[in-house]
Amino acid sequence: MNRKLQVKIRRRLGMGFMIAQRAYIKLYLITMVEQHRGYGYEMLVAMKQEFKPYGYVPPQSEIYRALHELVQQGVLYRTKKLKGNDPKVDFQEIVLYHFTNDGAEKAELYKKQVKTDLDRCLNMLHKAVNDNYS
Amino acid sequence: MNRKLQVKIRRRLGMGFMIAQRAYIKLYLITMVEQHRGYGYEMLVAMKQEFKPYGYVPPQSEIYRALHELVQQGVLYRTKKLKGNDPKVDFQEIVLYHFTNDGAEKAELYKKQVKTDLDRCLNMLHKAVNDNYS
C-alpha cells in the first residue's frame, strides 16, 4: 500500500502511535475462547496474572469493556448457568463466553489485523533501539 | 525488583500499557542533539519523515512539547541566530538546541530508563505474537 495513504488511513481510524491496549486485551480474550477457556471470572483472573512479570496489570474495567465490545461486534455471546447443580443450595451464577455462528471467522479476521499492528509496533521499537543505542 | 512493587511504581508514575509517544520522540531528539543535528526546523522535518514507512507520523504539537520538556528539565537550551550573515538582508532566525552543562549526563540517564521500557514493550509484543498465533 502507498505509504502516504497508509498514514492517512491510520489517522482516520484514530490509530495511534502504538497498538491500543483494548486490541491487545481482545486478542487474548479471543484466544481464551478458542481454547474453551471462556469462563468470565477465570478470564479476568488469568488476564491479571498473565503480564505481571512485565510490570503490567490490565485494568479490570478495560477487560470488561473488551468483552463487552466483542459481544457488541457479534463475535461472542454470553450464557449464564448456576455454579452448582442444585439451585436450592447454590445460587451463584457463572458467565460463559462462546463464539457466535460466524464469531470464529470474525475473530480470525480481527486477529489478522492485530497481527499487522503488532508487527508494525515491533518494527518501530526495534528501530528505536537500533537508532538510539550503539 | 519485586514484581508487585514494579507494577505499583509503574502505576504511580502513570506509566501505561505501552511506551509513551512523548518518551519515544524525546529519545530521537536527544540522539539528534548528540549528533550535532540540533537545528530545530530540521529536527521537525526529520521526525516527520523518519517513521512514514511504519505508517506513523509524529504530530508536530508532540514534537514541540517534547522539545519544550527537554528544555524545562534542563537537558537542552535554545539559542537563536540569523540564518544569513547580513542582518540587513536576512532577518530569518534559526533555533538551535544544545546540551546544558549536565544535559548530556541527564540525557544518558533518561535514555537508559527509556531503554528499559522499550525492552519491556518488545517483550510484551513478542509474547502476544507467541501466545496468540500458532
Side-chain angles (χ1 to χ4, degrees), chain B:
Chain B
M1 195 194 295
N2 178 310
R3 285 170 185 180
K4 219 168 174 176
L5 185 64
Q6 198 189 347
V7 171
K8 219 171 171 178
I9 289 173
R10 287 186 48 78
R11 282 216 167 152
R12 194 170 298 161
L13 292 173
M15 288 170 84
F17 157 64
M18 283 281 123
I19 188 168
Q21 177 170 240
R22 189 76 53 87
Y24 189 89
I25 293 173
K26 280 163 102 173
L27 180 63
Y28 272 87
L29 296 174
I30 286 170
T31 300
M32 282 191 247
V33 174
E34 281 173 356
Q35 296 167 344
H36 308 287
R37 293 164 58 207
Y39 169 22
Y41 179 72
E42 276 179 12
M43 290 166 95
L44 197 70
V45 172
M47 287 301 286
K48 285 186 171 189
Q49 289 300 322
E50 189 77 29
F51 313 100
K52 272 193 184 168
Y54 301 82
Y56 168 66
V57 176
Q60 187 156 321
S61 57
E62 274 297 309
I63 304 171
Y64 279 127
R65 276 187 210 123
L67 278 170
H68 182 74
E69 274 186 18
L70 288 170
V71 171
Q72 290 292 105
Q73 290 162 351
V75 176
L76 301 181
Y77 72 95
R78 262 185 213 98
T79 59
K80 289 180 181 182
K81 65 172 192 178
L82 288 176
K83 207 171 179 181
N85 287 321
D86 187 351
K88 283 179 196 157
V89 178
D90 195 341
F91 297 101
Q92 212 186 332
E93 268 188 339
I94 66 169
V95 180
L96 294 164
Y97 289 88
H98 322 263
F99 283 125
T100 60
N101 275 342
D102 60 349
E105 205 180 317
K106 280 180 179 169
E108 203 184 333
L109 182 66
Y110 182 71
K111 282 177 85 164
K112 266 186 198 158
Q113 293 167 344
V114 174
K115 180 66 164 55
T116 305
D117 209 29
L118 282 171
D119 288 339
R120 184 190 66 85
C121 293
L122 278 166
N123 287 336
M124 277 189 61
L125 296 177
H126 281 302
K127 177 176 167 55
V129 172
N130 292 335
D131 290 347
N132 299 285
Y133 302 90
S134 53

Side-chain angles (χ1 to χ4, degrees), chain A residues 27 106-117, chain B residues 133:
Chain A
L27 179 64
K106 281 180 179 170
E108 204 184 334
L109 183 66
Y110 182 71
K111 282 177 86 164
K112 266 187 198 157
Q113 293 168 343
V114 174
K115 179 66 163 54
T116 305
D117 209 30
Chain B
Y133 302 90

